Amino acid sequence: MSRQSPLIWRLVEDSMSEAAFLWLRLDAALNADDHRLQDVERWVEERLEGALDGVRVAGSSALDSLLPQAIEDEDLGAVAAAAYLTASLRHASATRLLEHALRQAKGARGAALACGLGRAANKELLYGLWARLAAEAGCAQATLLDALTFCAEAPPAELRASLESPEPELRRAAARALRFLPSSARDKLISRALGSSDAAVQTSACVASLAAGDAQAWSACLARAQKLDVESAELLPLVAALGSAREHARIEEALSVPALRQSALWALGFAGTPAAAEACLAQLEAGRDVREALAALTMITGLQLPAGSAAEDGDDVPVPDPQALRDWWQNQRARFEAGARYLDGERVTLPRLRAALVHGTTRRRHTLALELAVRSRGGFSLQPRAFCRQQREQLKQLESLEDRQLHSACRALGVSPLASP
């Protein structure tokens, strides 16, 4: 398309602005308490695709100024969308633009680039950039590692050096990537990562090892989580979903650690027991972290909030009167078996997990996808931040999972089994 068509070019620029806005909307919608995958695809992703198509019509002309400006923008939606679009252009200028952007990548900007490149899923390009930027600063390599991890890929030969990098971002990205190494390459590197002096590396290694189905991963995860430091927060929901009463008691203990209270409350939702529901009610009655406590209670019980409930100041979550909640729970309590795990008021079985991943609210799906990866010993892998159409393809893996396979894996790993259908 010629740059001599100012009216058309203005439409391309408008499409870029719309794509930046909708990219962030998509990120938020894929991690929300009130969105489901089907709705996200229909109301956000399809609009985003239209905006991206509005930029694509410019072809390589977008590399002249539009994409370079967007990828350096303060708006992280623009950064991510520009990285995604640039990754689809088979042009030397596109590769140079990405190289330049990666050299500037730090913190949130690096995360935005990783998401854009990950959703583009151009693995050949990512490995090519990894080779070209091997001698660059750790932030560039960390961003590429996170993009590859997004695509369920990892470069095995270089991860040991990355784990020992003086750059914290690169060490942590390398630990996250361990999940997708073959077991023959992963075992020694997991041990090295678990022995790191960087607590965040230890935590990421625990998650990676668990999700890959390593036999010793559960004990390592519990040991890390028991420290109840800030870096253990990421592990609490997974420990709740996979653990028994002993692990759930540790999560309730984390409620007394101010920095962990919100994570612990969210984790109680995955514990799913009547005791966890009681702990959430106690927090609601005390007025502490009401949003998280209510989200967890709803996850366990399937509570439907009544219309016209009062909203907490500064919050958009309707909160019923605590005594009304207590009365409701007392009426419902008899149908919840002590020690059993529930999701939306139903016992957690493999069919229930399948339904939650296909039709459930998006925020829960991140932990549930990890849980099923563990229970299948790496046989199931879902990227809950990928485009919805890609997730639908990944969800087809659910069809081949069987209860017998999962129960066998649970015995081997030492985690609590699912209820029988």
Side-chain angles (χ1 to χ4, degrees):
M1 183 189 69
S2 171
R3 280 296 311 271
Q4 308 307 313
S5 308
L7 178 59
I8 300 299
W9 190 255
R10 176 60 184 272
L11 294 176
V12 171
E13 292 175 329
D14 288 346
S15 293
M16 187 71 236
S17 297
E18 182 76 355
F21 168 73
L22 289 169
W23 190 281
L24 296 182
R25 282 283 304 276
L26 178 64
D27 286 343
L30 288 173
N31 191 29
D33 288 318
D34 58 352
H35 285 63
R36 289 169 172 77
L37 198 66
Q38 301 92 322
D39 299 327
V40 174
E41 184 169 19
R42 180 179 180 183
W43 299 111
V44 183
E45 187 169 303
E46 288 183 4
R47 290 173 59 200
L48 172 58
E49 281 293 344
L52 293 170
D53 284 343
V55 182
R56 288 189 183 102
V57 298
S60 60
S61 296
L63 289 167
D64 295 340
S65 61
L66 183 65
L67 290 176
Q69 289 172 4
I71 212 166
E72 294 186 0
D73 204 299
E74 293 299 314
D75 182 344
L76 296 180
V79 173
Y84 172 81
L85 289 161
T86 304
S88 68
L89 294 172
R90 296 186 177 277
H91 195 284
S93 295
T95 303
R96 288 195 295 270
L97 175 57
L98 290 172
E99 288 180 20
H100 176 76
L102 287 163
R103 291 188 180 99
Q104 317 302 316
K106 288 185 179 179
R109 179 171 292 274
L113 285 169
C115 184
L117 292 171
R119 284 182 181 151
N122 186 339
K123 299 175 186 179
E124 180 182 355
L125 171 68
L126 292 176
Y127 278 116
L129 288 168
W130 175 260
R132 292 166 73 107
L133 297 176
E136 294 294 330
C139 291
Q141 295 178 59
T143 299
L144 280 170
L145 273 180
D146 279 339
L148 284 164
T149 300
F150 195 107
C151 300
E153 294 281 328
E158 295 88 351
L159 282 189
R160 177 171 178 172
S162 299
L163 282 171
E164 297 173 350
S165 169
E167 298 283 348
E169 287 189 48
L170 181 52
R171 291 197 302 269
R172 296 165 189 179
R176 292 188 287 269
L178 293 175
R179 173 181 176 181
F180 297 109
L181 287 182
S183 58
S184 57
R186 186 174 62 247
D187 292 343
K188 291 182 180 179
L189 293 181
I190 286 286
S191 297
R192 186 174 294 273
L194 292 174
S196 172
S197 59
D198 186 333
V201 169
Q202 297 171 23
T203 294
S204 294
C206 286
V207 174
S209 187
L210 263 177
D214 294 338
Q216 305 304 315
W218 181 234
S219 58
C221 179
L222 293 181
R224 174 94 269 293
Q226 284 172 1
K227 297 182 180 180
L228 294 185
D229 55 14
V230 172
E231 295 299 342
S232 68
E234 181 182 351
L235 296 174
L236 296 182
L238 203 50
V239 167
L242 297 166
S244 59
R246 180 174 56 185
E247 288 77 47
H248 296 167
R250 191 65 170 166
I251 289 167
E252 289 194 43
E253 185 180 340
L255 292 172
S256 64
V257 181
L260 292 179
R261 190 164 58 226
Q262 289 190 5
S263 296
L265 277 169
W266 181 240
L268 287 174
F270 295 98
T273 61
E278 291 281 357
C280 293
L281 273 171
Q283 293 294 311
L284 284 164
E285 290 167 338
R288 290 192 293 265
D289 292 305
V290 168
R291 175 190 286 269
E292 293 300 315
L294 191 59
L297 181 64
T298 300
M299 193 189 319
I300 299 167
T301 65
L303 169 69
Q304 297 292 317
L305 294 174
S309 298
E312 183 186 17
D313 288 344
D315 208 338
D316 58 1
V317 177
V319 181
D321 176 75
Q323 186 58 52
L325 278 177
R326 174 62 67 179
D327 293 343
W328 177 87
W329 174 242
Q330 289 303 115
N331 288 331
Q332 298 292 319
R333 177 68 179 79
R335 69 183 183 87
F336 290 84
E337 180 184 336
R341 181 185 174 200
Y342 293 83
L343 180 62
D344 284 330
E346 298 181 25
R347 288 290 297 271
V348 179
T349 61
L350 176 56
R352 186 74 197 90
L353 278 185
R354 282 195 187 108
L357 285 169
V358 175
H359 303 296
T361 55
T362 56
R363 185 182 175 202
R364 302 175 187 177
R365 296 172 73 252
H366 295 256
T367 295
L368 296 177
L370 268 177
E371 175 187 353
L372 207 47
V374 177
R375 293 188 182 280
S376 64
R377 303 195 74 176
F380 174 78
S381 179
L382 173 72
Q383 172 49 268
R385 296 176 62 222
F387 283 132
C388 300
R389 63 179 185 275
Q390 293 171 329
Q391 291 194 49
R392 282 191 280 103
E393 288 299 311
Q394 293 168 354
L395 285 167
K396 291 179 180 178
Q397 300 169 78
L398 292 171
E399 299 169 5
S400 63
L401 294 181
E402 299 179 354
D403 278 291
R404 181 176 57 182
Q405 171 193 353
L406 267 58
H407 282 294
S408 174
C410 289
R411 286 195 298 271
L413 294 172
V415 303
S416 296
L418 294 172
S420 298

